[in-house]
């Protein structure tokens, strides 16, 4: 027993001496974060918290932002949504918002920093959200200040250098340090987090360190549809919501008989603006993301198939045909053009029923009236006729139009709501997605939109930035601890 006590006392003394030496002369470790967007600032915030928790006063960080202010995208686009319906399962969010790169971020978005935890992270810092009908979550007061304050406290502001343009980066193999050229001066750092978004310079920095870059092309855009009889009933300035659709786009593959079919599902919207019919919404933006390169090659011209009710009756035309014929039998005197007989139930997050302890449900037509009239006319019937006039052949044609409506598109519209989303970037195969550390360069971490992959809406892009940024920051601190311990073990006292 006495021997054990002596050993414990000796261990305690050694530990005390170690801590004293560390405090008197701590080895320094410098982390550079290139980019002051949502991923870069989240990385810096995570580093600060981890350093404070692990008592690592010798770790210093500097955030280099090339413009005059940080978090510009959140400031400019917070009204489009910061998060997406955190009440949904993480996989539902992944399937809805990440057409490209979904597999690689699954662990981050389901286990590490899922939507519900992201919401709680902000709410713990005073942010209040409201969920809109389309599932996007915005600040309750419509102001971005609470979100910015949550990400950027006063202590963190001191680490940020604005108007600081990093034009080159290299790594010294002997010292293991990174040399950055910032506004004409040289800065030395032990670790670098690349969070430059989809900027050309950011991709060049990654490429100069040995990473493979897929040349970015524009994604998440609206499609401009050609005029057709189906769209003829739309009114100028009108907006027509499609609660849930499936979009299909066929791509011819050289050397193969069968084309590749690219699909996307979700809510969509038709708008008639300046005599142009625009197809937008999550379904359209997702398709433009998945097929970004193929659409570019086709000069944004082609044919689209729209299934207006894929989640009804198994999505099969035969089942829909039976349903419509039965509806004719039950409602022979109803005017056909009055409304679509299929309904879609949606959750109203602004109305909570305290008696049933649930949110109220809103029922809407699967196909809005003006578009429904166009489908009826396309099937060879007058929209002001009664259902009793429908014969089996026309009933079948109407069912086919509902599950496979063919519409041509003749261009794209890069609306101002989604100006910063591109497909392409640093290859995900070259990044360890469990730590966001480069597999090519030791001590280099990447996060946010500098990575390949895509999001179908600005809120999904923010969520991806937050998850990858948080992981990059925490992993950089673990990397720093390993280096500092290695340096400390080489110190003679």
């Amino acid at each position: 027993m006495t021997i054990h006590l002596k050993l414990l006392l000796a261990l305690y003394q050694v530990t005390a001496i170690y801590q004293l030496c560390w405090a008197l002369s701590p080895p320094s470790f410098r982390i550079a974060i290139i980019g002051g967007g949502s991923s870069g600032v989240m990385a810096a915030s995570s580093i600060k918290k981890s350093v404070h928790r692990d008592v690592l006063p010798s770790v210093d960080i500097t955030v280099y932002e090339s413009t005059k202010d940080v978090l510009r995208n959140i400031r400019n686009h917070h009204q489009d949504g910061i998060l997406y319906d955190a009440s949904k399962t993480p996989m539902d969010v992944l399937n809805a918002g990440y057409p490209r790169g979904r597999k690689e971020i699954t662990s981050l978005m389901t286990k590490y920093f899922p939507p519900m935890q992201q919401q709680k992270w902000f709410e713990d810092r005073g942010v209040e959200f409201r969920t809109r009908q389309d599932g996007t979550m915005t600040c309750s007061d419509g102001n971005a200040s609470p979100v910015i304050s949550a990400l950027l406290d006063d202590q963190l502001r001191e680490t940020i250098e604005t108007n600081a343009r990093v034009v080159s980066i290299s790594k010294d193999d002997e010292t293991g340090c990174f040399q950055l050229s910032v506004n004409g001066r040289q800065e030395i750092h032990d670790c670098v987090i690349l969070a430059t978004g989809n900027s050309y310079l950011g991709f060049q920095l990654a490429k100069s360190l040995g990473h493979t870059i897929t040349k970015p092309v524009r994604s998440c855009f609206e499609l401009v549809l050609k005029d057709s009889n189906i769209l003829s009933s739309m009114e100028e300035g009108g907006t027509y919501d499609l609660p849930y659709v499936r979009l299909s786009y066929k791509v011819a593959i050289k050397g193969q008989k069968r084309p590749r079919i690219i699909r996307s599902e979700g809510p969509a919207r038709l708008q008639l603006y300046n005599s142009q019919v625009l197809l937008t919404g999550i379904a359209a933006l997702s398709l433009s993301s998945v097929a970004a390169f193929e659409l570019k090659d086709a000069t944004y011209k082609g044919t689209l198939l729209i299934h207006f009710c894929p989640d009804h009756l198994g999505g099969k035309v035969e089942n829909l045909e039976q349903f419509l014929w039965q509806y004719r039998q039950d409602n022979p005197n109803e005017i056909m053009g009055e409304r679509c007989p299929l309904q879609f139930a949606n959750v109203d997050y602004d109305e909570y029923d305290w008696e049933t302890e649930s949110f109220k449900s809103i029922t809407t037509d699967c196909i809005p009236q003006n578009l429904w009239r166009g489908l009826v006319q396309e099937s060879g019937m007058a929209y002001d006729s009664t259902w009793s006039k429908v014969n089996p052949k026309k009933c079948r044609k109407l069912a086919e139009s509902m599950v496979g409506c063919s519409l041509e598109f003749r261009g794209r519209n890069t609306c101002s709501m989604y100006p910063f989303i591109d497909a392409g970037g640093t290859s995900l195969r070259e990044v360890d997605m469990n730590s966001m550390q480069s597999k090519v360069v030791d001590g280099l971490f990447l996060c946010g939109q500098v990575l390949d992959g895509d999001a179908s809406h600005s809120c999904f892009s923010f969520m991806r930035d937050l998850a990858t940024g948080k992981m990059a920051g925490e992993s950089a601190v673990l990397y720093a601890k390993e280096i500092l311990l290695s340096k400390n073990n080489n110190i003679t006292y």
Side-chain angles (χ1 to χ4, degrees):
M1 185 67 178
T2 304
I3 296 176
H4 287 167
L5 287 174
K6 287 182 178 180
L7 288 173
L8 287 173
L9 180 60
L11 181 61
Y12 174 79
Q13 290 173 338
V14 170
T15 303
I17 294 172
Y18 173 86
Q19 291 177 340
L20 178 61
C21 293
W22 183 291
L24 292 175
S25 181
S28 61
F29 191 91
R30 296 147 298 181
I31 301 177
I33 300 175
I34 307 176
S38 49
S39 63
V41 173
M42 174 56 87
S45 177
S46 298
I47 291 173
K48 280 288 185 183
K49 182 178 179 180
S50 299
V51 165
H52 177 73
R53 181 191 63 221
D54 296 342
V55 193
L56 295 172
S58 56
V59 174
D60 296 318
I61 62 173
T62 304
V63 179
Y64 296 107
E65 168 55 38
S66 62
T67 65
K68 65 180 180 179
D69 209 350
V70 296
L71 300 174
R72 284 179 302 130
N73 283 335
I74 287 182
R75 296 176 195 275
N76 296 336
H77 303 283
H78 64 93
Q79 293 182 345
D80 302 331
I82 302 297
L83 306 177
Y84 183 79
D85 194 355
S87 68
K88 293 184 178 293
T89 67
M91 285 308 302
D92 285 340
V93 174
L94 278 165
N95 292 333
Y98 301 96
R100 299 176 64 252
R102 181 191 310 135
K103 178 182 177 181
E104 288 81 358
I105 65 168
T106 294
S107 181
L108 290 174
M109 296 295 290
T110 57
K111 299 176 183 178
Y112 173 69
F113 202 35
M116 189 67 75
Q117 285 189 23
Q118 293 195 22
Q119 179 182 355
K120 186 178 185 303
W121 190 94
F122 281 105
E123 289 178 342
D124 288 345
R125 292 159 176 78
V127 181
E128 295 182 0
F129 290 105
R130 67 182 182 92
T131 304
R132 298 186 292 200
Q133 286 298 319
D134 61 359
T136 57
M137 298 175 65
T138 60
C139 298
S140 296
D141 59 0
N143 194 329
S145 297
V147 173
I148 293 172
S149 298
L151 287 165
L152 199 62
D153 59 28
D154 292 336
Q155 188 180 18
L156 198 59
R157 290 177 188 273
E158 298 175 358
T159 69
I160 297 172
E161 183 180 338
T162 56
N163 294 315
R165 187 177 177 85
V166 180
V167 295
S168 68
I169 182 173
S170 60
K171 185 175 182 182
D172 189 323
D173 293 333
E174 292 185 8
T175 63
C177 295
F178 293 87
Q179 182 170 301
L180 280 61
S181 178
V182 186
N183 292 347
R185 70 179 191 273
Q186 301 301 310
E187 297 286 349
I188 305 298
H189 292 273
D190 300 283
C191 171
V192 170
I193 297 177
L194 200 58
T196 49
N198 59 7
S199 73
Y200 173 79
L201 181 56
F203 294 137
Q204 290 302 107
L205 293 177
K207 186 176 180 179
S208 70
L209 290 170
H211 274 282
T212 303
I213 306 298
T214 299
K215 185 179 179 181
V217 300
R218 187 62 181 268
S219 70
C220 295
F221 47 80
E222 301 169 332
L223 291 172
V224 181
L225 303 180
K226 281 188 175 181
D227 294 333
S228 69
N229 292 333
I230 295 173
L231 306 174
S232 61
S233 297
M234 295 178 60
E235 299 176 357
E236 178 67 33
T239 298
Y240 306 90
D241 289 322
L242 303 168
Y244 196 86
V245 299
R246 177 188 298 149
L247 304 179
S248 301
Y249 174 60
K250 291 183 179 180
V251 179
I253 306 296
K254 188 176 181 180
Q256 296 184 16
K257 293 183 178 180
R258 292 185 178 181
R260 176 191 173 201
I261 300 178
I262 302 175
R263 296 186 177 91
S264 68
E265 293 189 13
R269 177 177 295 168
L270 287 167
Q271 296 175 316
L272 182 56
Y273 181 71
N274 286 340
S275 301
Q276 282 191 332
V277 180
L278 304 177
L279 177 63
T280 184
I282 286 179
L285 298 174
S286 293
L287 184 74
S288 71
S289 168
V290 180
F293 297 95
E294 290 81 1
L295 289 169
K296 182 177 184 296
D297 291 340
T299 64
Y300 305 103
K301 296 177 182 178
T303 302
L304 201 65
L305 288 178
I306 303 181
H307 191 322
F308 290 102
C309 45
D311 58 338
H312 285 70
L313 305 169
K316 295 182 178 180
V317 65
E318 294 81 7
N319 297 342
L320 184 58
E321 180 185 9
Q322 293 177 12
F323 171 84
L324 293 175
W325 188 254
Q326 185 61 49
Y327 189 86
R328 171 198 181 280
Q329 302 293 97
D330 298 336
N331 305 274
N333 298 320
E334 184 176 310
I335 302 298
M336 289 198 68
E338 284 188 352
R339 67 182 183 89
C340 171
L342 281 178
Q343 305 291 297
F344 184 86
N346 218 344
V347 179
D348 184 1
Y349 290 100
D350 293 326
E351 293 290 336
Y352 189 78
D353 190 334
W354 292 100
E355 292 185 3
T356 61
E357 296 185 348
S358 62
F359 289 100
K360 291 186 177 180
S361 179
I362 298 177
T363 301
T364 57
D365 294 342
C366 282
I367 306 173
Q369 186 185 54
N370 287 52
L371 189 60
W372 172 250
R373 288 180 175 180
L375 287 174
V376 170
Q377 291 181 141
E378 183 70 11
S379 303
M381 298 169 281
Y383 68 82
D384 56 354
S385 64
T386 62
W387 277 90
S388 61
K389 302 290 180 65
V390 179
N391 59 39
K393 185 177 180 180
K394 291 180 179 178
C395 182
R396 173 72 182 193
K397 180 149 182 150
L398 180 58
E400 289 175 346
S401 297
M402 293 173 70
V403 303
C405 176
S406 178
L407 293 174
E408 290 187 54
F409 57 92
R410 56 184 176 85
R412 65 172 187 173
N413 180 47
T414 51
C415 63
S416 59
M417 284 179 62
Y418 316 101
F420 56 95
I421 300 177
D422 288 313
T426 309
S427 173
L428 296 178
R429 294 191 300 270
E430 299 173 355
V431 179
D432 181 355
M433 299 302 289
N434 293 316
S435 66
M436 307 313 301
Q437 184 167 195
S438 166
K439 296 178 181 179
V440 178
V441 182
D442 196 32
L444 174 67
F445 297 81
L446 303 96
C447 59
Q449 296 174 53
V450 72
L451 299 166
D452 198 0
D454 218 342
S456 62
H457 192 278
S458 56
C459 64
F460 293 115
S461 185
F462 286 136
M463 293 171 73
R464 183 174 182 254
D465 287 353
L466 297 172
T468 56
K470 187 172 185 291
M471 173 60 81
E474 293 182 354
S475 298
V477 173
L478 292 176
Y479 178 80
K481 287 176 67 176
E482 292 179 3
I483 300 297
L484 288 172
L485 286 173
S486 174
K487 287 182 179 181
N488 193 72
N489 289 335
N490 294 328
I491 296 176
T492 302
Y493 301 110

